[in-house]
Amino acid sequence: MERSFADSKELHGLRYCWLRGLKNASEQALLTAACQNIKKIATHLARLEKVCCNSLG
């Protein structure tokens, strides 16, 4: 979990809040989390495809 927060800060710009207000800051954090989740899903799908293709051929 701590690594995820570190990645958010270092790679996704969550070190500083670019938007003002609680609502906007929350939206920024949620969008950052969504982006991280999409990247994680894409990585898992790519690995799964690689494993499936290697086992077939």
Side-chain angles (χ1 to χ4, degrees), residues 3 9 11-12 23-24 32 36 39 41 52:
R3 181 77 242 160
K9 287 171 63 177
L11 303 175
H12 299 286
K23 181 180 179 284
N24 289 332
T32 299
Q36 283 184 292
K39 283 174 51 177
I41 290 169
C52 289

Side-chain angles (χ1 to χ4, degrees), residues 17-55:
C17 188
W18 300 107
L19 304 171
R20 292 191 176 257
L22 183 60
K23 181 180 179 284
N24 289 332
S26 295
E27 287 179 6
Q28 180 184 350
L30 289 173
L31 284 172
T32 299
C35 289
Q36 283 184 292
N37 288 334
I38 290 169
K39 283 174 51 177
K40 197 176 292 188
I41 290 169
T43 302
H44 286 299
L45 288 176
R47 287 182 187 162
L48 181 63
E49 182 179 328
K50 188 176 181 180
V51 169
C52 289
C53 290
N54 286 341
S55 65

Side-chain angles (χ1 to χ4, degrees), residues 1-18:
M1 184 53 109
E2 193 170 315
R3 181 77 242 160
S4 179
F5 289 121
D7 285 344
S8 295
K9 287 171 63 177
E10 289 295 320
L11 303 175
H12 299 286
L14 206 59
R15 183 176 298 276
Y16 302 104
C17 188
W18 300 107

